[in-house]
Amino acid sequence: MKYGIYYAYWEKEWTGDYFKYIDKVKELGFDILEISCGAFKKDYTTDEQLLRIGEYAKEKGIILTAGYGPQKDENLASPDEAVQKNAIEFFKETLRKLHLMNIHILGGGLYSYWPVDFNSDINKERDFETSVKNMRLIAKYAEEYDITLGMEVLNRFEGYLINTCDECLRYIDAVGNNRVGVMLDTFHMNIEEDNIGDAIRKAGDKLVHFHMGERNRKVPGKGTMPWAEIGQALRDIHYQHAAVMEPFVLQGGEVGQDIKIWRNLLPDTSEAKLDTDAKHSCEFVRHVFEL
């Protein structure tokens, strides 16, 4: 396994200096920096910039992975054909940009949108079928760019289409392309799964990306998540892909609003403290997962 962390742990807005975070995660002992595709709309809008990020990460020995929660007008499951068309074009362009950065995994609630408006027109079976139809097309573009798509299983408060590992397996089986796999996240599994270890084993070789976080979204090792059991389950399925922390501890800004962080989760939220916690957490999961 390779171990990583999501850049937004340090940020209050969905933006950031990826060059800075490549250096930071290298110093803290990680193998991977996970970025957000949202930056393509704000900070990194040219092919030249994306190529430079990819080259810099390679120079520093850091692997880049990507995550994204599509916006409402990027929803592959929308009953509105115009929205579907826009979503397909969005993903085509996004995959092209990820290829420029030498990124080979994109994870998130890619099959729908995030955060979901639960007052909107929700029809789970209809939206499931629409999403599968469109994901089959996106998977062909993913093949072209050598990118795997991780369908993140989200809890019921953030999504409705895929809430459990079983539902995710049904989805990827319906898509029928090995470029589309299961993505599990301990935070969401803690809410939805009867047994986290069993869910990981059920995903088996279909598990293509893995997110880690405590029940309250702190870094692993700062709460009561059963990390030894999780590590054993990952060993049981011979998981060899990325294990990426996705902690959120800072109140405020776009990140705090979207993730629903209404208070700072640490008494000391200085960058130095966040760095120390991330470093120790990386050491912790390496030890627990590789027993």
Side-chain angles (χ1 to χ4, degrees):
M1 271 184 285
K2 300 294 185 181
Y3 298 91
I5 189 166
Y6 190 38
Y7 86 97
Y9 168 59
W10 288 275
E11 294 287 348
K12 292 185 178 182
E13 308 297 333
W14 294 117
T15 185
D17 181 347
Y18 289 159
F19 294 97
K20 168 188 172 180
Y21 289 119
I22 288 168
D23 288 338
K24 182 184 288 289
V25 300
K26 180 70 174 180
E27 293 171 2
L28 296 177
F30 291 94
D31 310 300
I32 295 167
L33 173 68
E34 187 147 298
I35 67 156
S36 169
C37 299
F40 300 163
K41 303 174 183 179
K42 296 180 178 180
D43 300 316
Y44 304 104
T45 58
T46 70
D47 288 358
E48 181 183 2
Q49 289 173 313
L50 300 177
L51 285 166
R52 283 198 293 116
I53 295 169
E55 290 166 356
Y56 190 72
K58 183 177 181 180
E59 176 187 325
K60 294 294 183 176
I62 291 296
I63 300 165
L64 297 177
T65 61
Y68 191 59
Q71 296 182 0
K72 196 169 186 178
D73 65 352
E74 300 160 349
N75 179 13
L76 292 172
S78 174
D80 185 331
E81 291 187 3
V83 172
Q84 294 177 44
K85 182 177 179 180
N86 183 68
I88 290 168
E89 292 304 312
F90 163 78
F91 275 104
K92 285 169 60 178
E93 179 63 4
T94 296
L95 293 171
R96 186 190 70 82
K97 290 178 176 178
L98 293 176
H99 179 69
L100 292 177
M101 300 175 73
N102 195 33
I103 291 176
H104 298 282
I105 178 75
L106 170 61
L110 311 177
Y111 45 84
S112 181
Y113 72 102
W114 179 91
V116 170
D117 174 8
F118 288 102
N119 293 315
S120 63
D121 175 23
I122 291 177
N123 182 319
K124 186 164 180 170
E125 282 306 310
R126 177 201 65 196
D127 296 350
F128 183 96
E129 292 175 5
T130 302
S131 181
V132 165
K133 176 195 70 174
N134 289 320
M135 188 59 71
R136 287 172 180 157
L137 178 60
I138 301 304
K140 292 180 181 178
Y141 293 109
E143 285 179 339
E144 177 183 344
Y145 291 119
D146 190 24
I147 295 172
T148 298
L149 306 173
M151 303 295 108
E152 185 172 14
V153 180
L154 298 174
N155 73 73
R156 71 192 75 176
F157 306 111
E158 297 185 46
Y160 67 96
L161 206 57
I162 298 179
N163 297 135
T164 66
C165 183
D166 281 330
E167 289 183 335
C168 195
L169 287 167
R170 178 187 170 219
Y171 182 91
I172 66 168
D173 286 347
V175 174
N177 187 308
N178 61 13
R179 284 294 179 178
V180 179
V182 175
M183 176 179 170
L184 295 176
D185 181 310
T186 60
F187 172 76
H188 300 295
M189 283 194 286
N190 173 66
I191 295 172
E192 299 293 346
E193 303 290 352
D194 292 335
N195 184 286
I196 292 176
D198 286 348
I200 292 169
R201 282 183 282 269
K202 186 175 291 185
D205 61 5
K206 302 292 179 65
L207 183 63
V208 298
H209 201 50
F210 191 70
H211 268 184
M212 304 177 289
E214 288 289 354
R215 292 183 168 106
N216 56 7
R217 309 218 81 158
K218 292 183 182 179
V219 296
K222 290 286 188 178
T224 58
M225 197 68 78
W227 294 110
E229 176 186 340
I230 291 165
Q232 183 60 59
L234 291 170
R235 292 193 295 274
D236 288 345
I237 65 170
H238 308 291
Y239 182 73
Q240 296 295 314
H241 305 295
V244 175
M245 297 176 194
E246 192 191 32
F248 296 101
V249 297
L250 301 178
Q251 176 186 7
E254 295 173 326
V255 177
Q257 176 73 28
D258 289 345
I259 302 296
K260 308 299 183 284
I261 304 295
W262 305 121
R263 69 190 190 285
N264 285 328
L265 300 189
L266 301 172
D268 179 358
T269 58
S270 66
E271 186 170 358
K273 174 59 173 172
L274 296 181
D275 288 355
T276 298
D277 284 355
K279 177 180 174 63
H280 290 166
S281 184
C282 184
E283 294 168 351
F284 169 74
V285 293
R286 281 187 191 276
H287 172 70
V288 173
F289 285 7
E290 297 177 9
L291 290 174

